[in-house]
C-alpha cells in the first residue's frame, strides 16, 4: 500500500558518482551510479528535489493483498509426504519451514524453541524445559531434555495444530469431554495451557522431581490456590499460576487435579531474585497469537509485532539481542533468560516497534571504480564475455544452475554499468535462452506445483527427497530461487519485452518464498522468514532434534536483494518494499548471530573466538557447515555470492576482527573458497585484496573474475 504525505523540507542533493575511467574504445560512459540503485521506483521518495514542497512516499505492508492472483501454470502434482492428522485443521497452502514444524513432522515429538523455552508435544500434553547453555570450542548447545509437563489425566487423541500465524502456533489435545489448548507465542516468559473440561496434571520431567511446593516439602500433600512456587531437584524454581484457583495433590513426580477444570495454568521459570515480582504482576495477560505490521518511509522501516491477548493488564514478553538493539520506546522489566543466541530481556506492552535502516545499495556499487583498476575490469569483462553456463547443470540443477544464471546476469549488469551496452544485450540474450525453459516448464528438471503443501518444487526433488538439496521437500528454496530472481531482475530491467512476457511467471518464484498474504491461494505467507528471530529457516519438511536451521545468511540476503531489484525493474512497489524489508531484517540478524565481532556479547568464549557461525539451529550454533568443518567453508558460506549488496551485509567491524582467522584459513584454502575470503579482505584493505586476487586461478561456479575485481575496486 502506498500513502503519500506532502511535507516541506530542505535537503542537499548529492551528486552522482562518476563512471569507470577506462571504458575503452568509443563506448559511451555508463549511466551514473546512485545510492538508491536507480531504475524503477527506487527509494520511497517521490516529488521534486531541492528546498520547498516535496512528497514523501509511505509504504505499508498489506497482509490482505497477495502479490498476484495468477495461478502457477506448471504441472500440478501431489506431494508424497502427506501432512497427516496433526495439520488437519489447517488448509493448504501450508507452512513448511516454520519454527514449529517439528511438532508436525515425523512422530511430531522433536523439540521446538519458543524462546526462551524448549517445548515438545508428548503423549498427554506439552513437555517444557529451559536448559542451560553449554559453550564449547566449536558449538553452543542446550540439552534435549524435559523438565516439566502441562498435561491432562484423561487419555488424549494426540495433538493437532489448531492454528498458526507469523508469531505463534496453537496446539490442542483432545479427549472425551474436552480439550487442552496451548498457545505457543514466541518470546513468552510463561508456558500456558487452557483447559476446557479436562483434568490438569503437572508432571516432572525425566530424572526431575518435585521437592517443595509453596514451602512445604512433605508429600503427598494437597495445595489449593492460584499461585504455586515449585522447587525441583535440579535446583530450578518455577511458579505455576492458576486462573481460577485450583486444588492439586502432589508428590515427587506429579501434581494432579481431581476433577475437570475450566481455566488456565501458566508456568514460568524463576531465573533470578527479582523475577517473581515481575512474573506475578503480568501473569493475568495471556498472549494467544500475533501478527506483523510494517511501514517504510524513505530508507527506514518500522516493523511492529502486534500481540493478540486475553486478560487485563500489560503483556510481558521476552526480547532477543537484535530486538533490544532496535526496539523503540521499550519498557524493560527485571527478568532475563540465557539462550544459545544471547540473553533475552523482558519487555512490557502489547505491541513492539522495531526500527530498521534500509540499505541504499541498488544495482551497482554506490561509488565509482578506483581509477587505477578500471581498465583491468574492462579487460576481465572482455575475457569473460563468452561465458556460457554448463549445459549439463544450468537446465537441471536449481542450485548450481541458478548460481550460473546469476553469474551470467551479473556480467550483463556490469557490462551495462561500464557502458558496454552491446555486450550487455548479448549476455542478456544468452541468459534468456537459459532461464526461459525453467519459467516455461520445458527444461530437463521442470518445476511442478505441489498441490499438497502448496509451492514450487523440482520434478527430481519431488521424486527423491535427497535430490536438489532436499528442494522438493522445501529445503533451501530462498537460496535457490534467489539466484533465479537476480537473473530475472537483470532481464526485466534491460528487456521490456521479456519483462512483459515473464513478469507473472517470475512472481511465482517470489510468491513461493515471500508471499505476504494468507489470501494467496497458492503459497504460504513468508515461507522462510521467522519474523521473531529475524532470519530465515532453510530446513523444510525434515525433523531435526535441534529444531530448524539455516546455514548461508548471505544467500538468504541475496534472495531478498534480488526481490528488491525485481520490484524496481517491474515498477511494483509491493515487491520492491517487501524485498527491502526482508533484506533489512535478515541482514541485521546475520550481523548479530552469524557474524561475531570481538565486541559481540551474543556468544561466550571459547566459541566466540571462531568469529563466525556456520549453521545456526533453533537450539544450537555450530562452527561447521553441512559439507565440512574447514574454516574457509564457514566464513565463505556467509559471504557468497558477491554482489553490490555484500557491502550492506559484510560488517567492517566483523571483517576487521575476523580477518586474522580468515587469513589463516585462506592460506590452506583452495582458490574457489579463498576468493570469498579475499572479497571480505577488500572490506578493510582493498589494495591488498586486489593483489591477492591476481593469484587466483579457479573461482566458484557462481563468481566471475569480473565481478570479484569490480567488487574490490569499488570498496571505499
Amino acid at each position: 500500500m502506498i500513502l503519500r504525505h506532502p511535507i516541506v523540507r530542505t535537503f542537499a542533493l548529492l551528486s552522482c558518482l562518476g563512471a569507470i575511467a577506462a571504458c575503452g574504445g568509443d563506448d559511451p560512459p555508463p549511466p551514473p551510479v546512485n545510492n538508491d540503485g536507480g531504475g524503477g521506483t527506487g527509494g520511497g521518495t517521490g516529488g521534486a528535489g531541492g528546498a520547498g514542497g516535496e512528497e514523501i512516499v509511505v509504504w505499508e505492508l498489506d497482509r490482505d493483498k497477495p502479490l498476484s492472483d495468477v495461478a502457477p501454470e506448471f504441472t500440478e502434482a501431489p506431494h508424497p509426504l502427506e501432512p497427516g492428522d496433526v495439520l488437519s485443521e489447517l488448509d493448504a497452502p501450508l507452512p513448511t519451514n516454520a519454527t514449529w514444524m517439528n511438532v508436525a513432522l515425523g512422530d511430531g515429538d522433536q523439540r521446538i524453541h519458543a524462546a526462551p523455552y524448549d517445548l515438545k508435544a508428548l503423549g498427554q500434553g506439552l513437555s517444557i524445559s529451559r536448559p542451560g547453555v553449554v559453550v564449547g570450542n566449536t558449538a553452543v548447545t542446550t540439552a534435549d531434555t524435559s523438565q516439566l509437563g502441562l498435561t491432562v489425566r484423561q487419555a488424549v487423541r494426540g495433538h493437532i495444530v489448531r492454528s498458526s500465524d507469523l508469531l505463534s502456533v496453537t496446539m490442542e489435545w483432545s479427549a472425551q469431554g474436552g480439550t487442552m489448548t496451548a498457545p505457543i507465542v514466541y518470546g513468552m516468559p510463561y508456558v500456558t495451557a487452557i483447559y476446557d473440561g479436562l483434568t490438569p496434571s503437572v508432571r516432572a520431567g525425566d530424572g526431575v522431581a518435585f521437592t517443595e511446593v509453596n514451602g512445604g516439602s512433605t508429600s503427598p500433600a494437597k495445595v489449593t490456590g492460584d499461585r504455586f512456587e515449585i522447587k525441583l531437584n535440579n535446583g530450578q524454581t518455577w511458579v505455576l499460576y492458576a486462573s481460577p484457583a485450583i486444588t492439586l495433590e502432589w508428590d515427587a513426580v506429579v501434581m494432579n487435579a481431581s476433577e475437570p477444570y475450566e481455566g488456565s495454568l501458566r508456568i514460568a521459570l524463576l531465573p533470578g531474585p527479582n523475577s517473581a515480582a515481575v512474573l506475578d504482576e503480568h501473569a493475568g495477560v495471556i498472549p494467544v497469537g500475533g501478527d506483523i505490521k510494517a511501514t517504510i518511509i524513505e530508507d527506514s522501516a518500522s516493523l511492529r509485532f502486534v500481540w493478540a491477548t486475553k486478560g487485563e493488564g500489560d503483556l510481558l514478553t521476552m526480547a532477543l539481542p537484535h530486538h533490544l538493539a532496535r526496539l523503540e520506546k521499550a519498557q524493560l522489566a527485571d527478568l532475563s533468560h540465557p539462550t544459545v543466541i544471547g540473553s533475552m530481556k523482558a519487555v512490557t506492552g502489547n505491541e513492539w516497534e522495531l526500527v530498521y535502516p534500509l540499505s541504499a545499495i541498488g544495482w551497482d556499487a554506490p561509488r565509482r571504480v578506483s581509477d587505477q583498476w578500471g581498465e583491468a575490469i574492462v579487460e576481465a569483462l572482455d575475457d569473460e564475455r563468452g561465458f556460457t553456463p554448463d549445459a549439463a547443470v544450468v537446465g537441471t540443477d536449481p542450485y548450481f544452475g541458478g548460481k550460473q544464471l546469476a553469474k551470467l546476469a551479473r556480467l550483463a549488469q556490469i557490462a551495462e554499468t561500464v557502458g558496454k551496452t552491446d555486450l550487455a544485450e548479448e549476455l542478456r540474450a544468452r541468459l534468456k535462452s537459459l532461464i526461459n525453459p525453467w519459467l516455461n516448464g520445458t527444461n530437463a528438471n521442470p518445476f511442478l506445483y505441489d498441490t499438497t503443501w502448496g509451492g514450487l518444487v523440482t520434478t527430481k526433488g519431488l521424486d527423491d527427497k535427497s535430490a536438489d538439496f532436499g528442494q522438493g521437500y522445501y529445503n533451501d528454496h530462498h537460496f535457490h530461487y534467489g539466484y533465479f530472481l537476480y537473473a530475472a531482475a537483470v532481464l526485466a530491467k534491460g528487456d521490456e519485452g521479456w519483462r512483459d512476457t515473464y513478469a507473472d511467471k517470475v512472481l511465482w518464484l517470489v510468491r513461493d518464498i515471500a508471499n505476504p498474504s494468507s489470501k494467496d491461494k497458492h503459497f504460504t505467507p513468508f515461507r522462510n522468514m521467522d519474523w521473531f528471530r529475524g532470519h530465515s529457516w532453510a530446513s523444510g519438511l525434515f525433523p531435526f532434534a535441534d529444531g530448524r536451521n539455516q546455514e548461508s545468511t548471505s544467500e538468504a540476503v541475496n534472495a531478498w536483494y534480488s526481490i528488491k531489484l525485481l520490484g524496481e525493474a517491474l515498477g511494483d512497489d509491493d515487491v520492491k518494499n517487501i524485498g527491502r524489508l526482508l533484506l533489512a531484517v535478515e541482514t541485521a540478524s546475520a550481523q548479530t548471530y552469524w557474524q561475531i565481532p570481538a565486541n559481540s556479547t551474543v556468544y561466550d568464549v571459547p566459541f566466540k573466538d571462531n568469529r563466525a557461525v556456520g549453521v545456526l539451529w533453533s537450539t544450537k550454533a555450530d562452527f561447521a557447515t553441512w559439507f565440512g568443518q574447514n574454516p574457509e567453508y564457514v566464513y565463505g558460506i556467509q559471504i557468497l555470492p558477491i554482489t553490490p549488496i555484500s557491502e550492506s551485509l559484510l560488517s567492517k567491524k566483523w571483517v576487521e576482527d575476523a580477518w586474522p582467522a580468515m587469513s589463516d584459513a585462506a592460506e590452506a584454502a583452495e582458490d574457489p573458497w579463498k576468493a570469498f575470503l579475499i572479497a571480505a579482505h577488500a572490506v578493510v584493505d582493498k589494495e591488498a585484496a586486489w593483489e591477492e586476487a591476481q593469484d587466483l586461478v579457479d573461482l566458484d561456479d557462481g563468481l566471475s573474475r569480473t565481478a570479484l575485481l569490480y567488487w574490490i575496486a569499488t570498496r571505499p
Side-chain angles (χ1 to χ4, degrees):
M1 177 187 298
I2 297 292
L3 305 178
R4 300 183 183 274
H5 297 302
I7 67 168
V8 176
R9 69 182 183 117
T10 61
F11 66 103
L13 287 174
L14 301 178
S15 60
C16 292
L17 296 169
I20 288 181
C23 288
D26 296 325
D27 291 323
V33 178
N34 60 33
N35 284 337
D36 70 7
T41 52
T45 301
E54 187 190 352
E55 235 178 15
I56 295 295
V57 178
V58 179
W59 176 84
E60 292 186 352
L61 176 65
D62 187 344
R63 295 269 285 115
D64 289 325
K65 179 185 176 185
L67 294 177
S68 170
D69 59 3
V70 177
E73 295 173 3
F74 299 117
T75 299
E76 294 185 352
H79 202 284
L81 179 65
E82 290 288 339
D85 291 342
V86 67
L87 295 177
S88 60
E89 293 298 314
L90 304 185
D91 296 324
L94 296 167
T96 56
N97 298 60
T99 301
W100 52 265
M101 289 305 298
N102 263 358
V103 305
L105 299 173
D107 293 330
D109 58 354
Q110 300 283 9
R111 62 177 164 167
I112 66 173
H113 184 63
Y117 298 109
D118 290 351
L119 306 173
K120 287 184 180 181
L122 294 178
Q124 300 294 103
L126 193 63
S127 165
I128 306 161
S129 66
R130 211 240 54 203
V133 177
V134 179
V135 181
N137 289 318
T138 60
V140 181
T141 60
T142 56
D144 186 355
T145 186
S146 176
Q147 293 166 339
L148 288 171
L150 289 175
T151 69
V152 301
R153 299 186 67 179
Q154 290 88 349
V156 299
R157 294 187 286 269
H159 67 277
I160 64 168
V161 173
R162 172 57 62 185
S163 63
S164 71
D165 55 46
L166 296 182
L167 298 175
S168 76
V169 60
T170 298
M171 297 170 59
E172 181 182 280
W173 289 257
S174 62
Q176 186 171 359
T179 61
M180 184 189 88
T181 303
I184 299 169
V185 181
Y186 312 143
M188 59 186 190
Y190 319 79
V191 181
T192 304
I194 300 170
Y195 294 84
D196 183 6
L198 297 184
T199 305
S201 178
V202 182
R203 300 175 183 268
D206 297 336
V208 178
F210 300 123
T211 61
E212 187 176 307
V213 177
N214 285 352
S217 57
T218 301
S219 67
K222 284 187 177 182
V223 287
T224 300
D226 58 9
R227 183 187 187 278
F228 307 91
E229 197 160 305
I230 304 165
K231 293 186 182 297
L232 306 181
N233 64 347
N234 63 5
Q236 291 180 331
T237 300
W238 296 70
V239 178
L240 177 69
Y241 300 92
S243 177
I246 194 171
T247 297
L248 300 170
E249 183 172 359
W250 72 278
D251 58 26
V253 296
V254 70
M255 300 175 67
N256 280 336
S258 60
E259 59 186 9
Y261 182 65
E262 301 285 341
S264 64
L265 297 184
R266 311 192 74 196
I267 196 159
L269 177 67
L270 295 181
N274 300 321
S275 55
V278 175
L279 290 165
D280 289 351
E281 181 180 356
H282 299 279
V285 186
I286 301 173
V288 294
D291 200 1
I292 66 165
K293 295 182 178 181
T295 303
I296 289 177
I297 302 177
E298 295 189 306
D299 288 331
S300 180
S302 167
L303 174 64
R304 298 178 300 287
F305 295 169
V306 183
W307 313 103
T309 63
K310 291 183 177 180
E312 299 296 327
D314 287 333
L315 177 67
L316 187 71
T317 47
M318 305 293 295
L320 287 162
H322 78 281
H323 299 137
L324 295 167
R326 291 164 183 84
L327 273 168
E328 289 286 296
K329 301 177 182 178
Q331 298 294 319
L332 300 181
D334 190 5
L335 175 71
S336 63
H337 283 287
T339 74
V340 164
I341 56 173
S343 179
M344 299 189 79
K345 308 292 185 185
V347 178
T348 63
N350 289 8
E351 183 171 326
W352 291 5
E353 182 182 12
L354 307 171
V355 176
Y356 287 88
L358 300 178
S359 174
I361 302 294
W363 296 92
D364 300 296
R367 66 192 61 81
R368 61 179 295 161
V369 167
S370 296
D371 290 344
Q372 71 269 31
W373 295 328
E375 185 175 347
I377 290 171
V378 173
E379 289 176 357
L381 182 61
D382 284 337
D383 288 343
E384 294 183 302
R385 67 184 302 154
F387 168 69
T388 301
D390 185 344
V393 175
V394 73
T396 61
D397 193 307
Y399 180 65
F400 292 111
K403 287 176 68 176
Q404 293 187 37
L405 291 173
K407 175 182 175 179
L408 181 57
R410 186 78 193 115
L411 285 169
Q413 180 58 30
I414 292 174
E416 190 80 35
T417 299
V418 302
K420 299 276 189 179
T421 54
D422 289 345
L423 176 56
E425 186 173 348
E426 175 187 326
L427 294 170
R428 287 195 297 267
R430 192 179 309 153
L431 179 60
K432 283 188 288 186
S433 71
L434 298 169
I435 196 173
N436 287 1
W438 281 97
L439 298 176
N440 293 329
T442 59
N443 61 307
N445 182 22
F447 290 127
L448 302 172
Y449 179 76
D450 163 25
T451 56
T452 303
W453 295 86
L456 300 184
V457 296
T458 60
T459 301
K460 290 181 179 179
L462 200 64
D463 290 341
D464 178 359
K465 66 181 179 181
S466 65
D468 297 341
F469 295 99
Q471 203 265 10
Y473 283 62
Y474 293 93
N475 270 8
D476 299 350
H477 274 208
H478 58 323
F479 298 165
H480 295 193
Y481 297 161
Y483 289 111
F484 283 83
L485 291 171
Y486 180 80
V490 169
L491 287 176
K493 173 175 176 282
D495 189 319
E496 183 178 352
W498 188 91
R499 179 175 69 239
D500 293 343
T501 300
Y502 284 94
D504 283 333
K505 296 185 177 186
V506 173
L507 283 179
W508 298 334
L509 297 180
V510 175
R511 290 159 63 195
D512 185 87
I513 60 175
N515 159 45
S517 176
S518 59
K519 296 193 176 174
D520 190 318
K521 298 178 181 178
H522 304 285
F523 300 97
T524 190
F526 296 114
R527 184 181 307 282
N528 298 93
M529 177 56 69
D530 181 332
W531 289 99
F532 188 81
R533 294 263 299 210
H535 63 77
S536 303
W537 294 120
S539 50
L541 300 177
F542 297 92
F544 292 100
D546 295 309
R548 307 276 82 192
N549 70 78
Q550 176 165 265
E551 185 178 56
S552 179
T553 55
S554 48
E555 289 181 298
V557 162
N558 179 64
W560 315 139
Y561 170 59
S562 299
I563 289 175
K564 179 243 189 190
L565 294 183
L566 180 67
E568 291 186 3
L570 297 179
D572 188 321
D573 287 303
D574 289 330
V575 173
K576 177 191 71 174
N577 284 313
I578 287 169
R580 296 175 80 200
L581 178 64
L582 289 164
L583 174 60
V585 172
E586 190 92 47
T587 298
S589 285
Q591 292 175 340
T592 305
Y593 304 123
W594 276 262
Q595 300 176 15
I596 313 177
N599 63 353
S600 171
T601 59
V602 171
Y603 304 105
D604 288 332
V605 294
F607 184 82
K608 178 178 178 177
D609 295 334
N610 293 310
R611 293 290 176 256
V613 170
V615 181
L616 186 62
W617 300 74
S618 302
T619 60
K620 180 173 69 170
D622 271 334
F623 185 72
T625 70
W626 281 100
F627 50 90
Q629 296 183 331
N630 292 18
E632 65 269 26
Y633 300 165
V634 176
Y635 302 126
I637 203 65
Q638 304 306 331
I639 297 170
L640 66 86
I642 298 299
T643 70
I645 203 59
S646 302
E647 180 167 331
S648 294
L649 174 63
L650 302 181
S651 158
K652 184 175 182 180
K653 181 68 171 67
W654 173 55
V655 175
E656 285 176 344
D657 294 342
W659 180 246
M662 287 185 183
S663 179
D664 290 344
E667 290 294 323
E670 296 180 350
D671 276 7
W673 288 104
K674 183 182 292 185
F676 293 116
L677 305 187
I678 290 171
H681 196 196
V683 173
V684 295
D685 189 343
K686 64 181 180 181
E687 286 80 10
W690 182 271
E691 293 304 316
E692 292 159 357
Q694 307 313 305
D695 296 329
L696 295 171
V697 177
D698 298 317
L699 295 178
D700 178 76
D701 56 354
L703 179 65
S704 67
R705 180 173 297 276
T706 303
L708 177 61
L709 295 181
Y710 177 88
W711 161 260
I712 296 171
T714 53
R715 296 310 84 219

